[in-house]
């Protein structure tokens, strides 16, 4: 398994520190050795200089006379071999650090772009700040495929440190080219959840101009911008301030319901209230024949042409285009969707 970029950098930095420590050790040993060999005439400066020019292969004459000292010349050979090898190791490690950082980044980008190009029916999360990160975590928990677009490198890096396998692009999500690279033509939906209302409006407009079929959910701080967001193409508008206020009121008025929903959202099984749309070419089928009983899902209601039917009877006919509202695990949702892919 290939090392992660962070592990690769750590390995090379560790190699540089190891090589530097070894180089210092060579100079210390060489200085002490030459000082002992050249005593009493050799000074500490002469000894260090002799070591340095030997390791650096500068080629100056012997500062300390070794003509009558064969052991001293053998010591010089030892210092030269170890010192030159250490220099070579340091240089190669430094070059590898520079090359692999850029090379691995380029490889990761190309591999990620190929993966994105093969996605169908995925989601695009524009902005991975506080709100965007919660959106992305929900997509992960419910086993949805998605691509993150974030223009701030530090924000994107924080997310990637926790979720390194996430497909992502560092770009401006309002830019058409960035949306195309993220697969907007094949995307099922786009979340415009940056911290800037005007930027989210631009993202919604850009998405709809490129792929009018893609569903767009826009985050707005100021609900007065809701009409503008609708005109820009937003299918749904969510205001965290408004939603937070409703959540606070519900915690007071219906605490047990809120507690149940909170427990469901925190569940490791990914239990959620999901929806599945019956394909337009599906023949009308009674509920009892369409959905076998299962512990993976519970049918809560259906919506047909704007009319809600709660807890429908087994003989209730499910028409093409009906929305099935289920309480289901990710696997349960997938099982219901597969019923229609197999033709019921």
């Amino acid at each position: 398994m290939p090392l992660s970029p962070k592990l690769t950098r750590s390995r090379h930095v560790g190699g540089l520190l190891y090589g530097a420590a070894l180089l210092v050790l060579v100079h210390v040993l060489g200085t002490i050795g030459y000082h002992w060999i050249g005593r009493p005439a050799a000074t500490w400066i002469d000894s260090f200089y002799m070591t340095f020019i030997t390791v650096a292969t500068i080629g100056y004459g012997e500062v300390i006379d070794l003509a009558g000292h064969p052991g001293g010349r053998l010591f010089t050979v030892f210092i030269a071999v170890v010192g030159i090898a250490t220099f070579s190791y340091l240089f190669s490690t430094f070059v590898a650090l520079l090359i692999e950082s850029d090379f691995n980044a380029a490889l990761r980008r190309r591999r990620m772009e190929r993966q994105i190009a093969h996605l169908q029916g995925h989601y695009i999360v524009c902005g991975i700040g506080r709100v965007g990160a919660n959106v992305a975590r929900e997509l992960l928990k419910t086993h949805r495929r998605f691509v993150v677009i974030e223009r701030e490198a530090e924000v994107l890096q924080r997310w990637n440190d926790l979720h390194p396998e996430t497909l992502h692009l560092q770009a401006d999500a309002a830019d058409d080219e960035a949306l195309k690279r993220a697969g907007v033509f094949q995307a099922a939906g786009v979340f415009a959840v940056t911290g800037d209302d005007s930027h989210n409006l631009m993202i919604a407009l850009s998405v709809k101009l490129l792929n009018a079929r893609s569903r767009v959910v826009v985050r707005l701080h100021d609900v007065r911008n809701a009409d503008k967001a609708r005109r820009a193409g937003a299918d749904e508008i969510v205001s965290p301030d408004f939603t937070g206020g409703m959540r606070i009121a519900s915690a007071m008025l219906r605490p047990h319901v809120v507690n149940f929903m909170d427990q469901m959202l925190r569940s490791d099984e990914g239990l959620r209230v999901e929806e599945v749309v019956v394909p337009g070419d599906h023949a009308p089928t009674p509920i009892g024949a369409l959905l076998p009983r299962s512990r993976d899902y519970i049918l809560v209601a259906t919506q047909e042409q704007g009319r809600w039917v709660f807890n429908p009877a087994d003989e209730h006919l499910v028409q093409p285009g009906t929305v099935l509202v289920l309480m289901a695990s990710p696997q349960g949702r997938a099982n219901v969707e597969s019923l229609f892919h197999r033709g019921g």
Side-chain angles (χ1 to χ4, degrees), residues 36-80:
W36 184 80
I37 292 169
R39 68 187 189 284
T43 65
W44 287 107
I45 295 296
D46 289 339
S47 302
F48 173 77
Y49 184 65
M50 183 71 177
T51 305
F52 179 78
I53 63 175
T54 301
V55 172
T57 67
I58 293 177
Y60 294 156
E62 293 177 346
V63 177
I64 298 174
D65 186 11
L66 302 176
H69 204 305
R73 290 193 167 177
L74 289 177
F75 180 73
T76 299
V77 171
F78 170 76
I79 290 295

Side-chain angles (χ1 to χ4, degrees), residues 269-272 274 292-299 326-336:
E269 290 79 17
L271 187 65
R272 298 289 187 272
E274 299 279 7
R293 293 190 178 276
S294 172
R295 292 182 60 85
D296 289 330
Y297 59 81
I298 298 173
L299 180 64
L326 310 151
M327 185 174 291
S329 65
Q331 185 58 48
R333 185 197 75 244
N335 290 343
V336 174

